[in-house]
Amino acid sequence: MFILANRKRGVTRGALGLALLLVTTVASAHDHSRCAVDDRGREVCLYNAAQRIATLSPGATELTYAAGAGDQVVAVVSYSDYPPEAKEVASVGSHTRIDLEKLVGLAPDLVIGWVTGNPAEQLETLEALGMPVFYIEPRDMEGVASAIERLARLAGTEAAGQAVADNFRDTMAALEARYGDREPVPTFYQVWDEPLMSVNDQHLIGQVVEMCGGVNVFGGLSRLVPRIDDEAVLAANPEAIVAGGMGEENRHWLTHWEQYPNLMAVEKDSLFFVPPSLIQRPTPRLMKGTQILCEKLDIARQKRERR
């Protein structure tokens, strides 16, 4: 019954045999020496440091490398493009549809899932096969540092991970101390164009805007990533518009707003672009993305002072 149920999920008998061997190995461990609590509140324990890690989102890949465990990564998903070495690792599909047969065949001893990005049924299948699944999805700055520390704990790379986590905390605190109390700049962060979308204050990007002394004009909306329209932006009349999106070049998103010359951000030429990979992934590259955003909002302040 066990084999039939899982064959329906697209896992072959040979792969199941490998997975069952993994189950036996895990079950024989009497002393779990490495434990960490994931972002679903589950304690995940390993007998030994993970040596074969599968990362099932680009953010998970980047965080695992940041934790010093890049050499242990044996499987990634599409768009896992940072660091560059990750592009050489075997891909097992996308974060929304995983090739379970290929993944099981790579025999990972730890799977890093994304709380809201991966198909729940597929990750449950992996757990049923005895593979430890550790869910992450940082929602604030401390969550990024903590994720790195916890991944390093499971991978046995504590020293490297701790150094990265400490540097991230120190750098983000320094940026907030430098920019957070400056004159507020009403800001619209555009995370997508069709449909038009922004972020609220609970979103990590909303927190970055606040750290830089910005005021998110859609920060009070209830949805983490609310859908809006041009009329809502015109009514909010932000002093700065910052575009993100997919890929590293979305400057055409900014030219869209030039049709509204009375919009304050257009009138003051405070239309800015921040490479999305530096600000839309909860990873250490947020340090660079935050620095760029803070500098952009400072430009908006300087234009105000010159008037």
Side-chain angles (χ1 to χ4, degrees), residues 58-63 66 82 114 138 144 148 168 204 277-278 280-287:
T61 301
E62 198 167 324
L63 286 166
Y82 191 88
W114 205 251
V144 174
I148 294 168
F168 180 80
L204 198 62
S277 63
L278 300 182
Q280 292 183 188
R281 288 185 189 174
T283 72
R285 285 197 289 170
L286 266 174
M287 294 183 290

Side-chain angles (χ1 to χ4, degrees), residues 74-86:
V74 298
V76 299
V77 292
S78 55
Y79 300 107
S80 293
D81 54 7
Y82 191 88
E85 308 91 87

Side-chain angles (χ1 to χ4, degrees), residues 78-282:
S78 55
Y79 300 107
S80 293
D81 54 7
Y82 191 88
E85 308 91 87
K87 291 186 284 189
E88 304 303 318
V89 179
S91 176
V92 291
S94 71
H95 70 280
T96 58
R97 182 48 53 183
I98 301 157
D99 184 336
L100 289 181
E101 181 177 344
K102 186 174 183 180
L103 176 57
V104 172
L106 289 167
D109 52 14
L110 179 63
V111 176
I112 310 300
W114 205 251
V115 174
T116 61
N118 296 140
E121 179 181 322
Q122 290 198 305
L123 267 62
E124 288 166 4
T125 298
L126 294 175
E127 291 187 275
L129 294 174
M131 293 185 185
V133 178
F134 190 78
Y135 291 86
I136 57 172
E137 187 168 354
R139 293 296 183 90
D140 55 29
M141 303 306 163
E142 178 55 30
V144 174
S146 172
I148 294 168
E149 291 170 335
R150 288 175 285 152
L151 290 170
R153 170 66 179 161
L154 294 175
T157 55
E158 289 93 336
Q162 193 64 59
V164 173
D166 289 345
N167 180 59
F168 180 80
R169 287 190 180 98
D170 292 345
T171 301
M172 298 304 281
L175 288 170
E176 184 172 21
R178 180 177 180 184
Y179 293 100
D181 291 331
R182 298 193 179 186
E183 285 296 316
V185 177
T187 303
F188 163 46
Y189 185 90
Q190 181 178 338
V191 73
W192 202 249
D193 63 338
E194 293 181 2
L196 187 61
M197 303 172 77
S198 187
V199 296
N200 70 7
D201 283 341
Q202 279 67 56
H203 195 285
L204 198 62
I205 298 172
Q207 297 169 44
V208 170
V209 170
E210 183 178 1
M211 287 178 62
C212 292
V215 176
N216 180 5
V217 296
F218 296 111
L221 296 181
S222 58
R223 296 189 62 177
L224 202 64
V225 183
R227 292 188 179 188
I228 53 175
D229 53 28
D230 283 18
E231 289 69 26
V233 176
L234 293 171
N237 198 23
E239 189 174 352
I241 295 177
V242 182
M246 182 73 74
E248 298 303 289
E249 288 294 334
N250 296 291
R251 297 180 188 276
H252 63 281
W253 288 9
L254 296 175
T255 60
H256 168 81
W257 299 107
E258 293 174 356
Q259 65 182 302
Y260 304 115
N262 293 326
L263 191 62
M264 189 183 306
V266 175
E267 179 186 350
K268 295 189 173 185
D269 192 25
S270 291
L271 304 174
F272 306 116
F273 175 80
V274 177
S277 63
L278 300 182
I279 197 170
Q280 292 183 188
R281 288 185 189 174

